[in-house]
Amino acid sequence: MNPLHYLPQPIAHRLLKSDDSSATGFSPKENEILLIITVAESVLSLIGSILIVTSYLKFKRLRKFSLELVFWLSVSDIGMCVSYFFGNPKSGGLCTAQAMIMSFFELASVLWTTVIALTLFRLIILQRTSSHLIKYYHVFCFGVPFVSMFLPLLTNSYGDSGAWCWISTPTDDSETDKQLMESPGNLWRLTLFYLPLWLAIIFNSTVYLIVTKTLSRVASTQASDQRPKYLKMIRRLRLYPLILVFCWLGATINRIQNVIDPSHPWYSLYLFQVATRSLQGTLNALVYGFNNHVIGEWLSIIPNGCSWSASKEEEESGGEEEDEEDGIFNKVSYVGGKVGGGGERDSNDMETSLI
Protein backbone atom coordinates (compact mmCIF):
# COMPACT_ATOMS: atom_id res chain seq x y z
CA MET A 1 0.00 0.00 0.00
CA ASN A 2 1.34 3.41 -1.02
CA PRO A 3 1.59 5.53 2.17
CA LEU A 4 1.02 8.70 0.15
CA HIS A 5 -2.55 7.54 -0.47
CA TYR A 6 -3.32 8.38 3.16
CA LEU A 7 -2.41 12.03 2.60
CA PRO A 8 -4.93 14.62 1.36
CA GLN A 9 -5.12 14.42 -2.41
CA PRO A 10 -3.69 17.91 -3.15
CA ILE A 11 -0.65 17.15 -0.98
CA ALA A 12 -0.16 13.69 -2.47
CA HIS A 13 -0.47 15.14 -5.96
CA ARG A 14 2.13 17.80 -5.16
CA LEU A 15 4.53 15.18 -3.77
CA LEU A 16 4.17 12.82 -6.70
CA LYS A 17 4.20 15.47 -9.39
CA SER A 18 7.45 15.38 -11.33
CA ASP A 19 8.81 15.73 -14.82
CA ASP A 20 9.82 12.76 -16.86
CA SER A 21 13.34 14.13 -16.95
CA SER A 22 15.70 13.59 -14.04
CA ALA A 23 19.26 14.49 -13.22
CA THR A 24 19.83 10.81 -12.59
CA GLY A 25 18.00 9.47 -15.63
CA PHE A 26 15.74 7.36 -13.42
CA SER A 27 12.21 6.65 -14.59
CA PRO A 28 9.20 8.41 -12.98
CA LYS A 29 8.27 5.10 -11.30
CA GLU A 30 11.75 4.75 -9.79
CA ASN A 31 11.65 8.34 -8.55
CA GLU A 32 8.21 7.70 -7.06
CA ILE A 33 9.57 4.72 -5.08
CA LEU A 34 12.39 6.86 -3.71
CA LEU A 35 9.89 9.52 -2.75
CA ILE A 36 7.51 7.08 -1.06
CA ILE A 37 10.32 5.68 1.10
CA THR A 38 11.50 9.19 2.00
CA VAL A 39 8.03 10.44 2.96
CA ALA A 40 7.04 7.30 4.90
CA GLU A 41 10.21 7.33 7.02
CA SER A 42 10.09 11.10 7.42
CA VAL A 43 6.62 10.80 8.94
CA LEU A 44 8.08 8.52 11.63
CA SER A 45 10.97 10.93 12.22
CA LEU A 46 8.57 13.87 12.39
CA ILE A 47 6.39 12.13 14.99
CA GLY A 48 9.40 11.20 17.14
CA SER A 49 10.87 14.70 16.96
CA ILE A 50 7.55 16.38 17.75
CA LEU A 51 7.15 14.14 20.81
CA ILE A 52 10.55 15.26 22.12
CA VAL A 53 9.75 18.94 21.49
CA THR A 54 6.33 18.54 23.12
CA SER A 55 7.85 16.76 26.12
CA TYR A 56 10.31 19.59 26.72
CA LEU A 57 7.64 22.28 26.42
CA LYS A 58 4.93 20.46 28.38
CA PHE A 59 6.82 19.16 31.42
CA LYS A 60 8.67 21.76 33.50
CA ARG A 61 10.76 19.11 35.25
CA LEU A 62 12.30 18.16 31.90
CA ARG A 63 13.53 21.68 31.16
CA LYS A 64 17.13 20.87 32.01
CA PHE A 65 20.11 21.95 29.97
CA SER A 66 20.76 18.46 28.61
CA LEU A 67 17.23 18.07 27.24
CA GLU A 68 17.36 21.63 25.91
CA LEU A 69 20.15 20.46 23.61
CA VAL A 70 18.05 17.47 22.54
CA PHE A 71 15.13 19.87 22.02
CA TRP A 72 17.11 21.89 19.48
CA LEU A 73 18.37 18.70 17.85
CA SER A 74 14.72 17.65 17.42
CA VAL A 75 13.77 21.08 16.04
CA SER A 76 16.48 20.61 13.40
CA ASP A 77 15.18 17.14 12.60
CA ILE A 78 11.65 18.55 12.18
CA GLY A 79 12.95 21.09 9.67
CA MET A 80 14.80 18.34 7.85
CA CYS A 81 11.62 16.24 7.61
CA VAL A 82 9.64 19.22 6.30
CA SER A 83 12.15 19.65 3.48
CA TYR A 84 11.63 16.02 2.46
CA PHE A 85 7.88 16.63 2.19
CA PHE A 86 8.42 19.09 -0.66
CA GLY A 87 8.40 16.14 -3.04
CA ASN A 88 10.42 16.33 -6.24
CA PRO A 89 9.89 19.84 -7.66
CA LYS A 90 12.87 19.58 -10.09
CA SER A 91 13.28 23.32 -10.68
CA GLY A 92 11.99 26.78 -9.85
CA GLY A 93 11.47 28.56 -6.56
CA LEU A 94 10.09 25.52 -4.74
CA CYS A 95 13.14 23.50 -5.75
CA THR A 96 15.50 26.18 -4.44
CA ALA A 97 13.50 26.47 -1.23
CA GLN A 98 13.67 22.72 -0.65
CA ALA A 99 17.42 22.67 -1.33
CA MET A 100 18.14 25.56 1.04
CA ILE A 101 15.94 24.24 3.86
CA MET A 102 17.47 20.78 3.50
CA SER A 103 21.00 22.21 3.51
CA PHE A 104 20.31 24.27 6.63
CA PHE A 105 18.59 21.66 8.81
CA GLU A 106 20.64 18.62 7.81
CA LEU A 107 23.85 20.37 8.78
CA ALA A 108 22.27 21.88 11.91
CA SER A 109 21.19 18.42 13.08
CA VAL A 110 24.72 17.10 12.65
CA LEU A 111 26.23 20.05 14.52
CA TRP A 112 23.85 19.70 17.48
CA THR A 113 25.13 16.15 17.99
CA THR A 114 28.66 17.53 18.30
CA VAL A 115 27.75 20.03 21.02
CA ILE A 116 25.93 17.27 22.93
CA ALA A 117 29.14 15.24 22.76
CA LEU A 118 31.17 18.27 23.84
CA THR A 119 28.83 18.90 26.78
CA LEU A 120 29.19 15.33 28.02
CA PHE A 121 32.97 15.52 27.64
CA ARG A 122 33.11 18.73 29.66
CA LEU A 123 30.86 17.31 32.35
CA ILE A 124 32.35 13.85 32.81
CA ILE A 125 36.00 14.36 31.88
CA LEU A 126 36.64 18.02 32.68
CA GLN A 127 34.02 18.29 35.44
CA ARG A 128 32.83 21.62 34.02
CA THR A 129 29.37 22.95 33.28
CA SER A 130 28.29 24.09 29.83
CA SER A 131 24.92 25.81 30.28
CA HIS A 132 26.61 29.22 29.94
CA LEU A 133 27.77 28.20 26.44
CA ILE A 134 24.26 27.86 25.00
CA LYS A 135 24.44 31.13 23.03
CA TYR A 136 27.69 29.97 21.42
CA TYR A 137 26.09 26.63 20.66
CA HIS A 138 23.28 28.42 18.80
CA VAL A 139 25.74 30.55 16.83
CA PHE A 140 27.66 27.43 15.85
CA CYS A 141 24.76 25.06 15.13
CA PHE A 142 22.47 27.53 13.37
CA GLY A 143 24.88 30.27 12.29
CA VAL A 144 27.21 28.03 10.29
CA PRO A 145 24.36 26.35 8.33
CA PHE A 146 22.71 29.73 7.75
CA VAL A 147 25.82 31.11 6.07
CA SER A 148 26.64 27.93 4.19
CA MET A 149 23.17 27.50 2.67
CA PHE A 150 23.62 30.73 0.69
CA LEU A 151 27.00 29.82 -0.80
CA PRO A 152 25.71 27.48 -3.57
CA LEU A 153 23.58 30.40 -4.83
CA LEU A 154 26.82 32.09 -5.87
CA THR A 155 27.37 29.41 -8.54
CA ASN A 156 23.68 28.66 -9.20
CA SER A 157 24.26 25.17 -7.84
CA TYR A 158 20.85 24.44 -6.34
CA GLY A 159 18.66 22.19 -8.47
CA ASP A 160 17.63 18.64 -9.26
CA SER A 161 20.04 16.24 -7.54
CA GLY A 162 18.14 13.00 -8.07
CA ALA A 163 14.75 12.38 -6.46
CA TRP A 164 14.83 15.75 -4.67
CA CYS A 165 16.36 19.21 -4.97
CA TRP A 166 19.67 19.91 -3.31
CA ILE A 167 23.15 20.89 -4.55
CA SER A 168 23.11 19.76 -8.16
CA THR A 169 25.82 18.84 -10.64
CA PRO A 170 25.88 19.44 -14.43
CA THR A 171 23.91 16.99 -16.57
CA ASP A 172 25.12 18.22 -19.96
CA ASP A 173 26.34 15.24 -21.98
CA SER A 174 28.94 17.45 -23.62
CA GLU A 175 30.76 17.78 -20.28
CA THR A 176 33.61 15.36 -19.73
CA ASP A 177 33.72 13.24 -16.57
CA LYS A 178 36.67 15.32 -15.37
CA GLN A 179 34.66 18.53 -15.81
CA LEU A 180 31.71 16.98 -14.00
CA MET A 181 33.91 15.84 -11.11
CA GLU A 182 35.36 19.33 -10.74
CA SER A 183 32.00 21.09 -10.95
CA PRO A 184 31.08 23.64 -8.25
CA GLY A 185 28.21 21.39 -7.17
CA ASN A 186 30.53 18.56 -6.17
CA LEU A 187 32.84 20.98 -4.35
CA TRP A 188 29.90 22.46 -2.43
CA ARG A 189 28.59 19.00 -1.52
CA LEU A 190 31.95 18.04 -0.09
CA THR A 191 32.87 21.24 1.73
CA LEU A 192 29.41 22.28 2.98
CA PHE A 193 28.07 18.94 4.14
CA TYR A 194 30.02 15.72 3.75
CA LEU A 195 33.32 17.02 5.14
CA PRO A 196 31.63 18.56 8.23
CA LEU A 197 29.54 15.39 8.58
CA TRP A 198 32.51 13.02 8.78
CA LEU A 199 34.52 15.41 10.93
CA ALA A 200 31.55 15.37 13.31
CA ILE A 201 31.44 11.58 13.24
CA ILE A 202 35.16 11.38 14.03
CA PHE A 203 34.83 13.97 16.81
CA ASN A 204 31.77 12.31 18.36
CA SER A 205 33.30 8.84 18.17
CA THR A 206 36.52 10.04 19.83
CA VAL A 207 34.65 11.83 22.61
CA TYR A 208 32.35 8.91 23.37
CA LEU A 209 35.27 6.50 23.34
CA ILE A 210 37.05 8.61 25.98
CA VAL A 211 33.86 9.04 28.03
CA THR A 212 32.89 5.36 27.95
CA LYS A 213 36.40 4.30 28.94
CA THR A 214 36.26 6.73 31.86
CA LEU A 215 32.86 5.46 32.96
CA SER A 216 34.06 1.85 32.64
CA ARG A 217 36.94 2.59 34.99
CA VAL A 218 34.61 4.32 37.44
CA ALA A 219 32.12 1.45 37.24
CA SER A 220 34.83 -1.03 38.18
CA THR A 221 35.28 0.80 41.50
CA GLN A 222 31.59 0.81 42.39
CA ALA A 223 29.53 -1.63 44.40
CA SER A 224 27.95 -4.42 42.40
CA ASP A 225 24.45 -2.91 42.68
CA GLN A 226 25.68 0.36 41.10
CA ARG A 227 27.51 -1.13 38.13
CA PRO A 228 24.39 -1.86 36.01
CA LYS A 229 23.64 1.88 35.93
CA TYR A 230 27.05 2.67 34.49
CA LEU A 231 26.82 -0.18 32.01
CA LYS A 232 23.45 1.11 30.86
CA MET A 233 24.92 4.57 30.29
CA ILE A 234 27.87 3.12 28.40
CA ARG A 235 25.62 1.08 26.10
CA ARG A 236 23.55 4.16 25.33
CA LEU A 237 26.60 6.34 24.71
CA ARG A 238 27.96 3.87 22.18
CA LEU A 239 24.83 4.32 20.09
CA TYR A 240 25.22 8.10 19.75
CA PRO A 241 27.93 8.22 17.03
CA LEU A 242 26.47 5.17 15.27
CA ILE A 243 23.32 7.11 14.37
CA LEU A 244 25.18 9.44 12.02
CA VAL A 245 27.15 6.57 10.52
CA PHE A 246 24.01 4.51 9.93
CA CYS A 247 22.00 7.41 8.49
CA TRP A 248 24.68 8.91 6.25
CA LEU A 249 26.92 6.04 5.14
CA GLY A 250 24.63 5.25 2.21
CA ALA A 251 24.43 8.89 1.15
CA THR A 252 28.21 9.24 1.37
CA ILE A 253 28.84 6.15 -0.77
CA ASN A 254 26.23 7.36 -3.26
CA ARG A 255 27.81 10.80 -3.60
CA ILE A 256 31.29 9.29 -3.96
CA GLN A 257 29.93 7.21 -6.84
CA ASN A 258 28.37 10.36 -8.31
CA VAL A 259 31.79 12.03 -8.27
CA ILE A 260 33.68 9.05 -9.70
CA ASP A 261 31.18 8.22 -12.44
CA PRO A 262 28.71 11.11 -12.64
CA SER A 263 27.17 9.95 -15.91
CA HIS A 264 26.06 6.58 -14.54
CA PRO A 265 24.29 6.88 -11.14
CA TRP A 266 23.32 3.66 -9.36
CA TYR A 267 19.67 3.35 -8.40
CA SER A 268 20.54 0.86 -5.64
CA LEU A 269 22.71 3.50 -3.95
CA TYR A 270 19.88 6.03 -4.05
CA LEU A 271 17.65 3.41 -2.42
CA PHE A 272 20.33 2.86 0.23
CA GLN A 273 20.55 6.60 0.82
CA VAL A 274 16.83 7.30 1.23
CA ALA A 275 16.23 4.13 3.30
CA THR A 276 18.63 5.31 6.03
CA ARG A 277 18.83 9.11 5.77
CA SER A 278 15.17 9.75 6.56
CA LEU A 279 15.36 7.74 9.80
CA GLN A 280 17.69 10.21 11.48
CA GLY A 281 14.91 12.00 13.34
CA THR A 282 13.45 8.71 14.57
CA LEU A 283 16.79 7.40 15.83
CA ASN A 284 17.77 10.72 17.42
CA ALA A 285 14.46 10.80 19.29
CA LEU A 286 14.80 7.21 20.48
CA VAL A 287 18.45 7.34 21.54
CA TYR A 288 18.90 10.95 22.69
CA GLY A 289 15.41 11.80 23.87
CA PHE A 290 13.35 8.91 25.17
CA ASN A 291 14.99 8.21 28.53
CA ASN A 292 13.27 7.17 31.77
CA HIS A 293 12.67 10.79 32.78
CA VAL A 294 10.76 11.60 29.58
CA ILE A 295 8.82 8.34 29.58
CA GLY A 296 8.04 8.75 33.28
CA GLU A 297 6.54 12.21 32.72
CA TRP A 298 4.19 10.90 30.03
CA LEU A 299 3.22 7.91 32.14
CA SER A 300 2.44 10.23 35.04
CA ILE A 301 -0.48 11.76 33.12
CA ILE A 302 -1.88 8.36 32.13
CA PRO A 303 -4.14 6.54 34.62
CA ASN A 304 -2.07 3.93 36.50
CA GLY A 305 1.01 5.20 34.67
CA CYS A 306 2.34 7.19 37.61
CA SER A 307 2.49 4.17 39.90
CA TRP A 308 4.19 2.11 37.21
CA SER A 309 6.72 4.90 36.61
CA ALA A 310 7.45 5.28 40.32
CA SER A 311 7.95 1.57 40.84
CA LYS A 312 10.17 1.36 37.76
CA GLU A 313 12.43 4.20 38.94
CA GLU A 314 12.60 2.73 42.44
CA GLU A 315 13.53 -0.65 41.02
CA GLU A 316 16.31 0.81 38.85
CA SER A 317 17.67 3.04 41.62
CA GLY A 318 17.76 0.23 44.15
CA GLY A 319 15.20 2.00 46.33
CA GLU A 320 17.38 5.06 46.93
CA GLU A 321 15.76 8.47 47.26
CA GLU A 322 18.22 10.42 45.12
CA ASP A 323 17.85 11.26 41.46
CA GLU A 324 19.31 8.51 39.30
CA GLU A 325 21.71 10.64 37.34
CA ASP A 326 22.51 12.99 40.22
CA GLY A 327 23.46 9.96 42.27
CA ILE A 328 25.72 8.56 39.59
CA PHE A 329 27.47 11.75 38.57
CA ASN A 330 28.02 12.89 42.12
CA LYS A 331 30.23 9.81 42.35
CA VAL A 332 32.03 10.28 39.03
CA SER A 333 35.40 11.88 39.64
CA TYR A 334 38.16 12.68 37.20
CA VAL A 335 40.00 9.41 36.65
CA GLY A 336 43.68 10.15 36.96
CA GLY A 337 43.49 12.55 39.87
CA LYS A 338 43.28 16.21 38.93
CA VAL A 339 39.85 17.75 38.30
CA GLY A 340 39.96 20.28 35.47
CA GLY A 341 38.52 23.74 35.88
CA GLY A 342 38.09 23.49 39.64
CA GLY A 343 35.30 20.93 39.31
CA GLU A 344 32.55 23.51 38.74
CA ARG A 345 29.18 21.83 38.22
CA ASP A 346 25.47 22.59 38.53
CA SER A 347 22.21 20.70 38.74
CA ASN A 348 21.28 21.41 35.13
CA ASP A 349 24.30 19.51 33.87
CA MET A 350 23.61 16.56 36.14
CA GLU A 351 20.64 15.63 33.99
CA THR A 352 22.56 14.09 31.11
CA SER A 353 19.72 12.09 29.52
CA LEU A 354 21.77 8.91 29.57
CA ILE A 355 19.33 6.75 31.53
Side-chain angles (χ1 to χ4, degrees):
M1 179 66 70
N2 187 337
L4 296 182
H5 291 166
Y6 293 101
L7 295 174
Q9 284 303 307
I11 298 177
H13 175 73
R14 172 64 260 176
L15 288 173
L16 291 174
K17 183 180 180 181
S18 63
D19 303 325
D20 290 339
S21 60
S22 171
T24 58
F26 299 149
S27 69
K29 182 64 176 177
E30 288 174 324
N31 282 327
E32 180 180 339
I33 292 172
L34 294 175
L35 185 59
I36 289 171
I37 295 173
T38 298
V39 172
E41 293 185 352
S42 295
V43 168
L44 296 177
S45 290
L46 185 64
I47 292 171
S49 300
I50 289 176
L51 280 174
I52 296 299
V53 169
T54 304
S55 299
Y56 180 80
L57 296 176
K58 180 177 179 62
F59 302 111
K60 290 184 179 180
R61 286 187 295 181
L62 294 179
R63 295 176 192 171
K64 308 293 184 180
F65 179 61
S66 61
L67 199 64
E68 181 181 354
L69 300 181
V70 178
F71 168 84
W72 289 112
L73 173 64
S74 298
V75 168
S76 300
D77 288 337
I78 289 172
M80 187 166 56
C81 291
V82 169
S83 73
Y84 298 156
F85 292 152
F86 276 56
N88 192 7
K90 298 294 183 184
S91 60
L94 189 60
C95 179
T96 301
Q98 180 188 41
M100 294 184 71
I101 294 172
M102 190 180 298
S103 295
F104 178 86
F105 285 109
E106 284 182 346
L107 182 56
S109 180
V110 170
L111 296 182
W112 277 110
T113 68
T114 65
V115 301
I116 291 173
L118 176 62
T119 299
L120 282 171
F121 181 85
R122 286 173 56 83
L123 172 64
I124 297 176
I125 306 301
L126 302 182
Q127 299 281 294
R128 295 178 180 177
T129 61
S130 300
S131 54
H132 63 288
L133 298 177
I134 186 62
K135 61 182 178 181
Y136 301 107
Y137 285 176
H138 278 285
V139 170
F140 175 62
C141 295
F142 287 140
V144 172
F146 181 79
V147 173
S148 67
M149 76 175 180
F150 288 101
L151 296 180
L153 293 175
L154 300 177
T155 55
N156 196 30
S157 294
Y158 282 134
D160 183 10
S161 67
W164 53 86
C165 288
W166 189 50
I167 301 172
S168 62
T169 55
T171 57
D172 189 349
D173 291 337
S174 63
E175 300 268 8
T176 65
D177 281 351
K178 186 176 185 298
Q179 290 173 317
L180 292 175
M181 290 175 63
E182 296 175 352
S183 69
N186 278 326
L187 295 177
W188 289 134
R189 287 177 178 181
L190 174 64
T191 57
L192 299 184
F193 184 73
Y194 285 101
L195 181 59
L197 167 68
W198 284 98
L199 288 175
I201 289 173
I202 293 170
F203 173 79
N204 291 355
S205 299
T206 302
V207 167
Y208 291 127
L209 179 62
I210 295 171
V211 169
T212 53
K213 283 186 175 181
T214 300
L215 291 177
S216 295
R217 289 196 294 269
V218 174
S220 66
T221 67
Q222 302 300 308
S224 58
D225 62 332
Q226 294 295 317
R227 290 175 188 170
K229 297 178 182 180
Y230 288 92
L231 296 177
K232 185 176 181 179
M233 282 193 293
I234 291 168
R235 286 195 298 269
R236 195 180 190 103
L237 281 170
R238 286 172 176 166
L239 293 176
Y240 285 10
L242 293 180
I243 294 175
L244 288 180
V245 175
F246 175 81
C247 292
W248 292 105
L249 180 62
T252 302
I253 295 173
N254 184 34
R255 294 312 181 186
I256 290 174
Q257 191 279 330
N258 292 165
V259 172
I260 295 174
D261 190 8
S263 301
H264 303 90
W266 294 8
Y267 185 67
S268 58
L269 289 181
Y270 276 86
L271 283 173
F272 186 13
Q273 175 172 346
V274 300
T276 55
R277 178 194 65 172
S278 304
L279 288 174
Q280 183 170 329
T282 303
L283 296 177
N284 281 340
L286 289 174
V287 176
Y288 284 96
F290 286 112
N291 53 59
N292 284 349
H293 298 285
V294 174
I295 296 172
E297 291 294 335
W298 283 106
L299 289 174
S300 69
I301 63 175
I302 300 174
N304 300 322
C306 185
S307 59
W308 183 94
S309 175
S311 63
K312 180 69 174 176
E313 290 186 2
E314 183 178 354
E315 175 187 339
E316 293 190 352
S317 63
E320 297 179 9
E321 293 297 322
E322 64 183 352
D323 178 84
E324 271 187 317
E325 291 163 355
D326 263 5
I328 289 174
F329 285 104
N330 279 329
K331 299 169 187 172
V332 174
S333 60
Y334 182 82
V335 177
K338 184 178 179 180
V339 178
E344 181 189 2
R345 306 166 72 180
D346 63 29
S347 59
N348 282 339
D349 280 326
M350 293 297 177
E351 299 288 341
T352 58
S353 301
L354 297 180
I355 295 181

